[in-house]
Amino acid sequence: QQMKLALLLSPTFDTWFAAVFWTLMNKGTLCLLPGNSLRSKSSENVCEIINLIKKEQITDIICVPALYERIIEAVKPNKGIS
């Protein structure tokens, strides 16, 4: 299966460059969100990210731990989006 990476980091993070090059060198696909989607901490934006993961059949994500925690909380059974 081809890698589809949701890169949920600002380009100011040095990890961002490594993720871009690693994905492209392995013939993967990068899925990016608009920058304002990542700055907001609203649950609406977490839903937007989850919908992107489902719609684009994302295989991997890279994000800051706080965002990762909000995504995990939102997809827990009986706790929000499934």
Side-chain angles (χ1 to χ4, degrees), residues 5-13 16 31-50 52-53 61-68 70-71:
L5 176 73
L7 189 53
L8 307 175
L9 290 174
S10 166
T12 58
F13 283 90
W16 189 88
C31 297
L32 308 172
L33 286 176
N36 59 344
S37 296
L38 299 177
R39 280 187 225 114
S40 174
K41 296 185 181 206
S42 75
S43 59
E44 183 178 296
N45 286 344
V46 172
C47 291
E48 182 182 344
I49 291 167
I50 293 167
L52 172 79
I53 291 169
I61 65 170
I62 294 181
C63 62
V64 296
L67 177 57
Y68 187 71
R70 291 197 329 264
I71 293 169

Side-chain angles (χ1 to χ4, degrees), residues 50-76:
I50 293 167
N51 288 335
L52 172 79
I53 291 169
K54 289 179 179 180
K55 178 183 171 199
E56 299 297 328
Q57 299 178 338
I58 302 296
T59 60
D60 302 276
I61 65 170
I62 294 181
C63 62
V64 296
L67 177 57
Y68 187 71
E69 182 178 25
R70 291 197 329 264
I71 293 169
I72 296 299
E73 280 298 316
V75 296
K76 280 185 177 177

